[in-house]
Amino acid sequence: MGARVPGARDPAPAQGGRLNTAPVGLRGASPEAPRPARRFSITDAVLLGLYLSAAITMAALSLEPPFVTPLWALVALGVGGSLVLVMRHRHPAAAFAGAMALAVASTAFGSGAEGMLAVGAMYLVGLRARPATAWAALGVALLLAAAGASALALRGTRLPPMLGSAPPLDPRDTLLDWLNFFSLVAALLVITTLLGINAGHRRRQLGELRHRAEQLARERDQQAETARAQERERIAREMHDVIAHSLTVMIAVSDGARLAADEKPQQAKEAMGRVAETGRRTLGEVRRLLATVRADDAEPPVPHAPQPDAARLPSLVQEFAAAGLPVRLTVTGRAPADPALGLTVYRIVQESLTNSLRHGREIRSVEVDVAWEDGEARIVVQDFSAAAQLLPAGERSPGRGLVGMQERVALYDGDIETGPHAGGWRVSARLRWHERGEGE
């Protein structure tokens, strides 16, 4: 409990007070967050090599006499296609536009090798972009495919030959040729786009699953840390109650034994025996509490004695009476079969009597009333003593014992009042246990 002047009491804390906890929000990186541009990888080198191999092979066929495709067009298209493949990660929009433009130009003046760039671009759009964006890009690609099909229908007549093919000798149906070329290219673009959208959907779904798994792992770690903190707080509260009570009793009994040692040696011996018994019991309780947080399996386990409950209130009061506190206990009603509730009532009475023994001045009597009613438990501990001396306003702070009582009461949706009354100091607590049991 907080520092105080001799005989001073803690000021009365605010009545009741529930412990509210709120889940901590977790903000992880969104699976849709933009990824940084990749560096040129081995896969990119393989794709560039495949494209150049196909472009060089088709250029060699296109340069066979006498139906030669212009060399400058083949070289320019090859350089442009290489640039598109190199910058497709850092500048995807520019790479898509370049691939489409090169594909149309290749159908008009080149070998047609750049058509694979357009197919690959549509797959990447379906893979990386949202479906609506992919379908919009497909619409643009189909318009360009229509222009490219028109150019293919004119190769060898109004436009340069392609792949060394001889111009047609007989008149051809240009519309039919255009329809055949367009149907083939459109089908290829649609299929590629669908494959890309399907792969992109799977990728995004897996990304969301990974993100959710990471988020759940973070929540699990935070919940585990919160549980550890709550357990540490519980153990600290129990340690305070056990040690503060036992030391207070031991000090009071030892002082009495010291004063009676000369005139009443037998009573002094008996008092020192009670001190030793209290110390051994306290040591056992401390070892039991520490054993709950000890992770060393090599040490022998400490036997877990049952926690005190409301049935041990008479022995608790008798122990304080033996320490010189004139205390009387009154219990009405029947305690429910709830070990946690019994421990809470026991600790509240124990802390209240400990405060009276430590800080009370000229105590004439202490009354402990515990009433078990329908759905509620009422505890009143009041001592009749000299007026309490409060600390100055700037130094007032509730001690750890009072805070512990508030926390215990809050677990049962109850309220507690502590403070001076007409004849001394009074602690009044109310626990609602019936409603809590129904809500479980």
Side-chain angles (χ1 to χ4, degrees), residues 144-279:
L144 296 175
S150 300
L152 285 174
L154 298 177
R155 293 297 292 266
T157 54
R158 299 181 183 180
L159 295 176
M162 184 177 183
L163 297 178
S165 302
L169 299 177
D170 300 328
R172 300 173 58 180
D173 188 346
T174 307
L175 180 60
L176 181 60
D177 288 345
W178 176 87
L179 184 60
N180 290 334
F181 291 143
F182 177 75
S183 300
L184 178 61
V185 175
L188 185 59
L189 291 175
V190 170
I191 292 173
T192 305
T193 304
L194 287 174
L195 292 176
I197 291 176
N198 186 43
H201 177 70
R202 288 199 303 270
R203 172 185 286 187
R204 286 186 290 272
Q205 191 174 34
L206 290 176
E208 291 175 357
L209 291 175
R210 284 194 296 269
H211 170 69
R212 181 58 179 164
E214 294 171 358
Q215 187 178 29
L216 290 176
R218 286 191 295 269
E219 291 179 355
R220 178 201 60 201
D221 295 341
Q222 287 201 353
Q223 290 174 354
E225 182 61 29
T226 301
R228 285 193 292 268
Q230 292 176 346
E231 181 65 12
R232 287 194 295 268
E233 179 63 24
R234 183 192 68 81
I235 293 174
R237 185 168 59 242
E238 291 289 328
M239 292 279 287
H240 170 271
D241 291 344
V242 170
I243 295 176
H245 155 69
S246 300
L247 289 180
T248 300
V249 172
M250 292 169 67
I251 291 172
V253 174
S254 298
D255 287 342
R258 179 175 58 83
L259 295 176
D262 295 333
E263 298 179 0
K264 301 178 180 179
Q266 184 61 31
Q267 293 183 2
K269 291 181 181 180
E270 293 176 357
M272 295 308 298
R274 289 197 298 271
V275 170
E277 181 183 356
T278 302

Side-chain angles (χ1 to χ4, degrees), residues 59 63 68-80 105 108-111 114 160:
L63 292 175
V68 178
T69 304
L71 179 61
W72 65 267
L74 296 175
V75 174
L77 290 171
V79 173
F109 306 105
S111 64
E114 284 67 34

